[in-house]
Amino acid sequence: MRLVLLDVNGTLVPAGATEVDRGALAGVVEAVEGLRGRAQVGLCSDSPLRSLRDFGTSLGLAEGFPVVAENGNVTRIGGVTRVRVPFPGLAEVRAVIAGTATEHGLRRRGEQESPEFGGAPVEPGVWAFGAGRVASVAVFAEGSFVEAAGRRVAEWAADRAPLAVDSSPAHGFLGVHPYPVLRSGKAAALTALAEAGWEPVMVGDTMSDWVPPGTGVRCGFVGGALVTAEVRAAAWALARSPGAEGVAELLRRIAEEADERGTV
């Protein structure tokens, strides 16, 4: 069965968005409906499982749609949730971050959703852990603290366990994952799905959404994707339009392929 997985940030939702533009997603909703019964359409993102399930439901994805969450480390396929790489040091990493926040004199807010999923952006002097994560850590805070906390976590991990530290001060976001190469997360999860007999198609906008040929995974990118020339040349498809419009374009292409094949 064809398994189509859509990235969220930068693909369905503009990078740095503080809310979801439902009107911009209307074409995606229509294209998803056109694939119903011919492919399973789901989401693949760094966001936590609960947030992605709520967001996918709002897009009209079929009940029990597949989700690859937390940058590929948490999957829910066929009603079964699995963690690919356990994070035994998760509590310790959270403690390191909390201690760093105390040193910087920041006030902690309760765990929160990303702004595009309804969470309020943190104000200066405040920080918060991302809500709903089970095998990674997310932090929302002002850029200077994100940078400092990212360095502190990297120092802590240097002689303990390899961690991928995704520090984005410009977006006020810090992510920590229990494996050494950040961009390997989604690729490992999608390759495992291909090995299990699925036909995964990944639709994204960055190198984190790329899986090399020969893995059984096909990758398409929306217009303006931040990928190399080599990846563009090797990709299954490139949309003309950016963002949600580009996603709808690629979904329609998959539907056309299904018509040509007579099955998906």
Side-chain angles (χ1 to χ4, degrees), residues 2-256:
R2 183 75 53 84
L3 181 64
V4 184
L5 294 167
L6 312 176
D7 175 52
V8 176
N9 296 96
T11 303
L12 286 169
V13 178
T18 56
E19 61 181 353
V20 175
D21 183 349
R22 299 292 173 183
L25 292 170
V28 174
V29 173
E30 181 180 354
V32 166
E33 185 62 32
L35 276 172
R36 194 174 298 277
R38 306 156 80 190
Q40 291 197 36
V41 182
L43 301 174
C44 179
S45 172
D46 180 44
S47 301
L49 178 62
R50 182 181 65 195
S51 300
L52 292 175
R53 293 182 71 184
D54 290 345
F55 180 62
T57 298
S58 74
L59 287 179
L61 299 186
E63 184 176 353
F65 63 89
V67 178
V68 178
E70 298 192 36
N71 200 44
N73 205 24
V74 178
T75 61
R76 185 168 178 82
I77 310 289
V80 178
T81 301
R82 292 186 174 89
V83 174
R84 185 175 60 84
V85 181
F87 197 160
L90 188 149
E92 293 171 278
V93 167
R94 286 171 61 99
V96 168
I97 293 168
T100 306
T102 299
E103 293 172 8
H104 282 71
L106 300 186
R107 177 170 56 86
R108 180 174 174 179
R109 181 195 287 177
E111 296 193 358
Q112 70 165 56
E113 297 279 1
S114 299
E116 68 270 22
F117 295 136
V122 295
E123 59 269 27
V126 175
W127 72 284
F129 281 122
R133 291 181 178 260
V134 298
S136 64
V137 176
V139 174
F140 301 101
E142 56 195 28
S144 58
F145 174 66
V146 164
E147 191 171 11
R151 285 198 305 268
R152 188 66 61 84
V153 169
E155 292 167 358
W156 176 89
D159 58 353
R160 290 176 174 83
L163 298 177
V165 180
D166 179 14
S167 180
S168 181
H171 294 110
F173 175 81
L174 175 69
V176 185
H177 302 274
Y179 41 80
V181 182
L182 181 65
R183 288 178 176 168
S184 70
K186 290 182 179 180
L190 293 169
T191 299
L193 289 172
E195 292 172 348
W198 294 93
E199 297 179 47
V201 178
M202 180 68 206
V203 176
D205 76 313
T206 70
M207 293 297 295
S208 293
D209 304 313
W210 171 242
V211 187
T215 57
V217 181
R218 297 198 297 168
C219 297
F221 293 95
V222 296
L226 301 176
V227 296
T228 65
E230 291 78 11
V231 165
R232 288 181 180 277
W236 155 68
L238 301 171
R240 294 181 298 275
S241 302
E245 189 174 345
V247 173
E249 182 182 332
L250 294 177
L251 291 176
R252 289 193 294 269
R253 176 165 175 169
I254 294 170
E256 291 168 0

